[in-house]
Amino acid sequence: MSISALLSMGRCCCRCCCPRGLWMLSAPCCDDRRMCVCPGPRRIGIPVRSSSLPLFSDAMPAPTQLFFPLIRNCELSRIYGTACYCHHKHLCCSSPYVPQSRLRYTPHPAYATFCRPKENWWQYTQGRRYASTPQKFYLTPPQVNSILKANEYSFKVPEFDGKNVSSILGFDSNQLPANAPIEDRRSAATCLQTRGMLLGVFDGHAGCACSQAVSERLFYYIAVSLLPHETLLEIENAVESGRALLPILQWHKHPNDYFSKEASKLYFNSLRTYWQELIDLNTGESTDIDVKEALINAFKRLDNDISLEAQVGDPNSFLNYLVLRVAFSGATACVAHVDGVDLHVANTGDSRAMLGVQEEDGSWSAVTLSNDHNAQNERELERLKLEHPKSEAKSVVKQDRLLGLLMPFRAFGDVKFKWSIDLQKRVIESGPDQLNDNEYTKFIPPNYHTPPYLTAEPEVTYHRLRPQDKFLVLATDGLWETMHRQDVVRIVGEYLTGMHHQQPIAVGGYKVTLGQMHGLLTERRTKMSSVFEDQNAATHLIRHAVGNNEFGTVDHERLSKMLSLPEELARMYRDDITIIVVQFNSHVVGAYQNQE
């Protein structure tokens, strides 16, 4: 197989139709993918010195066994500076092949299309020739830091917030995109009418619309669920009389974390309906609030509202399309509520919460506070099979995916796995042309007999904090795919304490010369000073997740290569990474413990 054949496995589709680059029939310009000259960011190719048509179809042939090491060793990043550029704006955008195992949603084979350029496509390529000599290109350390720190955010919690002494010292968060635009979201807020803090990470799929909506709305639903009856009545009376509302949340946001102003009225009306129902259900006799029940109700109600808004529609065409995009895309969520020593984690999907515990000898251990809702979870598999007829036992999960398509077994949105076929067709037919022309939304999953197959109900875990519990890591699966949980906790723990336990260097079966071992020891010695170039624990963790070599140390050359990859190629190596590191106040936690 030639390199041209391998590279031609890229898929052609419009980003507006499919932000992740799934197979589509709606690509307007092509049906011969081997000859695509699509625009957009850089496309990787093997430069050719002389050719009448310097495209992938004319790339020099090479054995397959030479190409795969090229990908594994990130060598393609060295030549992408001389790769093809495309300039004709009305052509579609192309992405390289992404292994299905790395996609949250696997497209159906029926959507595979070929890519053929429009007429006279050759005229856009005649004026450009490329040198055949690969050019090395590495980011400098300041450039690497600029990329890694672009989305970092830190917040220090006042020791006394007016209601109680806080058990949280502060938190660090950061994001590193692989998709364009990034499909992950994050949120953090202080509850003003009750106690505690809310922190969460949200991993979107089939676009970012659902994760964006959930990151804006879920904390309000949780906060309302935690409010006592009297406060709910006070808020409702203020709305009725037109008075200013009591603030419910104080948000802690990075400037890049935005809220949708266009949908704010719609979102508020749905939230108000929810608290009105809570008022009707609760007569005020009981004052105790069950945090676990509140979290579950908030998750389920928001998902129900997302579905209902899409079914009802909106007279505003922009909002109508927005609510449909939110409903047909999906998102997982992992949320922590911290109130004193009471820690609740509500998880839907495959993001994770990990507790960092410092043992008496100073070492670190990881305590998992969430379970992945996917095919690796036997209890989830059993739950799914019990919820559907025995005749579907072999089809409900195929190739470790829900109906052979979706990796997480719980998620917000994704109405294609929740609505009946008749409802899906009715909403799509009455919806805007952008939705009706999108083959993904019209596609019905195979073996779709007894919906719903998907739920947003979270699994809630409770943990009472102890003085040895030093921090909590919330992260999307982009982190956990690249790092083991014990390594995550060790790296964060050593960063926060400044203490590095020097374990024997493990080479994992590699043949290491004396000179190489000396280099590893020298690198570890300098690690003590280099660790402080990061002022944010989440940034430090991302640096390791992306730049770690086979010996567990950050390799600047590798880190530079990974951060240099163009957006079409970056998704082949990793997913979006979003991390929140919450640091606990051990003295306050210990004082709570002593009071008892």
Side-chain angles (χ1 to χ4, degrees), residues 37-315:
V37 287
C38 302
R42 299 169 179 175
R43 179 171 181 173
I44 298 301
I46 304 300
V48 181
R49 181 181 297 276
S50 60
S51 171
S52 58
L53 300 176
L55 298 174
F56 298 121
S57 58
D58 296 319
M60 296 174 63
T64 306
Q65 61 266 30
L66 294 181
F67 181 71
F68 282 108
L70 197 66
I71 291 182
R72 270 201 311 276
N73 299 327
C74 306
E75 294 297 319
L76 283 179
S77 64
R78 297 188 179 185
I79 63 172
Y80 90 88
T82 59
C84 298
Y85 286 80
C86 309
H87 307 280
H88 198 42
K89 294 183 178 179
H90 73 268
L91 297 179
C92 74
C93 193
S94 177
S95 301
Y97 171 74
V98 180
Q100 290 187 357
S101 62
R102 300 189 66 81
L103 289 177
R104 304 294 290 279
Y105 176 83
T106 300
H108 193 267
Y111 289 91
T113 86
F114 289 94
C115 217
R116 182 183 63 199
K118 283 190 175 283
E119 281 186 52
N120 301 329
W121 59 270
W122 52 269
Q123 63 179 302
Y124 304 108
T125 68
Q126 290 299 304
R128 188 174 292 272
R129 293 292 184 269
Y130 305 95
S132 61
T133 304
Q135 298 179 1
K136 288 188 177 181
F137 175 69
Y138 298 123
L139 298 173
T140 64
Q143 290 173 324
V144 167
N145 289 338
S146 178
I147 294 173
L148 291 179
K149 297 181 180 183
N151 297 309
E152 69 177 13
Y153 178 81
S154 297
F155 179 75
K156 301 302 178 186
V157 178
E159 186 173 351
F160 186 74
D161 61 8
K163 293 185 177 62
N164 63 328
V165 179
S166 176
S167 58
I168 297 179
L169 286 173
F171 70 87
D172 294 335
S173 70
N174 202 350
Q175 293 183 301
L176 183 67
N179 294 287
I182 185 172
E183 295 178 342
D184 282 6
R185 294 294 186 271
R186 58 184 167 176
S187 294
T190 300
C191 299
L192 297 178
Q193 300 305 318
T194 55
R195 303 187 308 179
M197 280 191 71
L198 288 165
L199 307 105
V201 294
F202 312 93
D203 189 350
H205 48 269
C208 61
C210 190
S211 58
Q212 175 63 37
V214 174
S215 70
E216 294 181 32
R217 306 176 66 181
L218 181 58
F219 284 10
Y220 281 114
Y221 280 73
I222 295 174
V224 165
S225 301
L226 292 170
L227 291 176
H229 185 259
E230 296 76 13
T231 306
L232 289 173
L233 282 174
E234 187 177 349
I235 293 175
E236 175 61 21
N237 291 334
V239 175
E240 283 287 345
S241 60
R243 292 184 283 111
L245 286 176
L246 292 170
I248 298 176
L249 295 172
Q250 177 189 354
W251 292 93
H252 311 298
K253 299 192 301 178
H254 186 276
N256 293 344
D257 301 335
Y258 67 94
F259 277 18
S260 175
K261 296 180 180 179
E262 297 83 0
S264 58
K265 184 177 180 181
L266 172 67
Y267 292 169
F268 176 80
N269 289 336
S270 295
L271 181 66
R272 184 185 180 188
T273 302
Y274 178 45
W275 79 54
Q276 288 173 339
E277 293 180 11
L278 290 176
I279 292 173
D280 294 337
L281 290 172
N282 186 0
T283 59
E285 298 175 357
S286 175
T287 58
D288 294 334
I289 302 294
D290 187 331
V291 177
K292 178 178 180 179
E293 183 180 354
L295 289 168
I296 293 174
N297 291 340
F299 272 62
K300 293 170 65 175
R301 179 54 184 251
L302 174 56
D303 190 56
N304 183 73
D305 284 353
I306 288 173
S307 175
L308 186 62
E309 289 161 2
Q311 295 176 48
V312 173
D314 194 280

Side-chain angles (χ1 to χ4, degrees), residues 311-323:
Q311 295 176 48
V312 173
D314 194 280
N316 181 304
S317 59
F318 175 82
L319 284 180
N320 192 38
Y321 185 44
L322 174 64
V323 296

Side-chain angles (χ1 to χ4, degrees), residues 428-444:
I428 292 170
E429 289 171 359
S430 62
D433 292 339
Q434 301 101 309
L435 189 75
N436 202 31
D437 293 340
N438 192 326
E439 295 298 329
Y440 164 68
T441 57
K442 292 192 292 185
F443 169 64
I444 302 298

